[in-house]
Amino acid sequence: MDLPEAEWRLLLKLAAEARAARDLSPRGALYPERAGDALATLSHPLSQHIYAPLIARIAAGPLVIAQVGQSLDGRIATAGGHSHYVNGIAALTHLHRLRALVDAVVIGASTAVLDDPQLTTRLVEGPNPVRVVLDPHRRVPRTARMFDEAAPAIAVRAAASDAMEGDGVLLLPAEHGIFGPATVLDGLAERGLRTVLIEGGGETISAFLRAERVDRLHVLLAPLLIGPGREAFKLPPLERLDAARRFRMTAQFLGDDVLLDCDLRAANESAADAYQHASTSR
Ligand SMILES: NC(=O)c1ccc[n+]([C@@H]2O[C@H](COP(=O)([O-])OP(=O)(O)OC[C@H]3O[C@@H](n4cnc5c(N)ncnc54)[C@H](OP(=O)(O)O)[C@@H]3O)[C@@H](O)[C@H]2O)c1
């Protein structure tokens, strides 16, 4: 069953209220109490389990969501960068809904160059986010579709370059051409952009994951094998599994794809215990 349009409209209204509450009290607001009644009327599993909890979280302060559409073998594109499309229309619609809930959507320069995405919400009702590209080396041309008239856009460039800061340019300090994820988020927050979707690609998401700056990760797993290609995640090696982060994860089908909703702030002690137990009972 598709998410009913009336329900999505209600979620958009609640999200606008959550953002307003957050902006009145940026360090964390209580989700307006009256929203509780409205939330109780939601019937679709995606509203109940995915969107409503996200919206409640928006009110509570800055929030970083990352999304990745990946094959069963953990690839987001072929080695040459072809990724249209890993996921089906239901997953793509979910991505557009996420865009409608956030203030800003962030991509890496390679995604901007290879995919030339618009980063709008054209598949669903709802506001377009501010579109942001991390482009320390100024590889992304101003003719890219993300700079069209549909919504504001920002190119994040290295402060040491001869770039001029203006409406569409944010200059940030970079070390060896790399912006620290916290620096990026602070720079966006100064422009009022506090709920942020990191949309890809893998290099960009991985930097935020490594810095532990992702609160919620949505993996859209497709029944597809790509073989050698661009990886969803590039993380440092671990010596032992007990050092691995374990967190709460739920699953929802979106057409033929599966949405894995990972709450990276909720440590999963029971899973850690279960794996520990399995390793001692072998
Ligand atoms: N399936 C999906 O969900 C999905 C989503 C998005 C993209 N994609 C695919 O992913 C591929 C691209 O992904 P990718 O991992 O190769 O690259 P990417 O993450 O799109 O872009 C990486 C580049 O962005 C810049 N960048 C990212 N983070 C930075 C930081 N913290 N500081 C400074 N610069 C930063 C750097 O540009 P410089 O190289 O100029 O330094 C970096 O090399 C494409 O093929 C695209 O089609 C798939």
Side-chain angles (χ1 to χ4, degrees), residues 67-70 75-84 86-87 95 107-112 114-115 133-139 174 177-181 184 199-205 207-208 220 230-232 234:
Q67 84 80 43
V68 64
Q70 68 164 63
R75 308 292 183 194
I76 56 170
T78 63
H82 189 243
S83 70
H84 282 178
V86 172
N87 297 111
L95 171 60
I107 58 169
S110 299
T111 294
L114 287 163
D115 290 3
V133 61
L134 303 184
D135 188 18
H137 299 108
R138 291 198 267 173
R139 289 199 284 134
I178 305 289
F179 307 117
V184 173
E199 190 170 311
E203 296 275 357
T204 304
I205 288 179
F208 282 80
L220 295 152
R230 299 199 182 215
E231 294 166 333
K234 289 185 183 169

Side-chain angles (χ1 to χ4, degrees), residues 212 235-248 264 266-269 271-273 275-276:
E212 300 196 5
L235 300 171
L238 290 178
E239 191 69 32
R240 290 179 50 85
L241 271 188
D242 34 22
R245 287 167 77 188
R246 297 187 195 271
F247 41 79
R248 297 209 178 280
L264 301 186
N268 192 340
E269 302 299 346
D273 287 351
Y275 284 91
Q276 185 64 27

